[in-house]
Amino acid sequence: NAGVTQTPKFQVLKTGQSMTLQCAQDMNHEYMSWYRQDPGMGLRLIHYSVGAGITDQGEVPNGYNVSRSTTEDFPLRLLSAAPSQTSVYFCASSYRDGGNTEAFFGQGTRLTVV
Amino acid sequence: KQEVTQIPAALSVPEGENLVLNCSFTDSAIYNLQWFRQDPGKGLTSLLLIQSSQREQTSGRLNASLDKSSGRSTLYIAASQPGDSATYLCAAMKTSYDKVIFGPGTSLSVIP
């Protein structure tokens, strides 16, 4: 059972380059989300999806795009990388069972923009 | 808007001590409360999940409680060990939105 898988684990980009962070889950969870973690700022929600074809913005969405064409995959796209996007990115998925839910996280992608 | 805070921000204790980490949330109309552990440079490991109908959960030396009326959760670690050194994050979940709102974390250091 792989859980939530993120690729790549590490990435260095030049300012202005674009790239896609991949996230896949094999638990058939409806809900998936992307967070960034910065020193002193904690984990902040970038974008989230409550099901295939449905996405919405979180707390810090600027500079990022997402799509959810399948239940399993939720890629995060950086259109034109900026040094301010240097961060550790975490993907999460969760289920909802009545009034209960639990979140599962990937191992993170450490991104440096130079 | 839901806000989650954690006290203390950092804690250093000698090995063997029992300790309590605190988590507070502003919107008590929740929730499930999940505690995570994060080692330096690593991802998040789920420790305990307290479902909306529960008041506490236990796993080994860890015990987490949830008091929705006061907007508080505590994580109790018994007989702390150096291997417990990590950052502990609490996260509040509102089932109707499925968003996970994190606290800033408590950095724990257990001294041998």
Side-chain angles (χ1 to χ4, degrees), chain A residues 31 35 37 99-101 103 105, chain B residues 32 34 38 51 95 98 100:
Chain A
Y31 180 74
Y35 293 82
Q37 186 177 36
N100 299 316
T101 183
F105 281 79
Chain B
N32 297 337
Q34 194 166 354
Q38 186 177 30
Q51 302 278 12
T95 57
D98 292 319
V100 181

Side-chain angles (χ1 to χ4, degrees), chain B residues 47-48 57-64 75-78 84 88:
Chain B
L47 295 174
L48 290 166
Q57 280 288 326
T58 298
S59 176
R61 295 182 292 108
L62 305 179
N63 175 276
L75 177 67
Y76 176 81
I77 303 177
D84 295 330
Y88 291 80

Side-chain angles (χ1 to χ4, degrees), chain B residues 11-71:
Chain B
L11 184 62
S12 182
V13 299
E15 181 177 2
E17 276 203 3
N18 302 324
L19 53 98
V20 175
L21 308 182
N22 297 292
C23 172
S24 297
F25 43 92
T26 55
D27 186 352
S28 61
I30 18 175
Y31 279 84
N32 297 337
L33 198 294
Q34 194 166 354
W35 283 93
F36 293 88
R37 167 184 174 141
Q38 186 177 30
D39 293 287
K42 303 294 185 182
L44 281 73
T45 301
S46 181
L47 295 174
L48 290 166
L49 170 70
I50 309 176
Q51 302 278 12
S52 57
S53 59
Q54 300 169 330
R55 297 197 64 168
E56 68 175 327
Q57 280 288 326
T58 298
S59 176
R61 295 182 292 108
L62 305 179
N63 175 276
S65 65
L66 175 63
D67 184 347
K68 291 183 185 180
S69 62
S70 66

Side-chain angles (χ1 to χ4, degrees), chain B residues 88-108:
Chain B
Y88 291 80
L89 298 157
C90 69
M93 286 165 277
K94 195 165 189 176
T95 57
S96 60
Y97 298 129
D98 292 319
K99 292 180 184 179
V100 181
I101 307 298
F102 281 88
T106 293
S107 177
L108 172 66

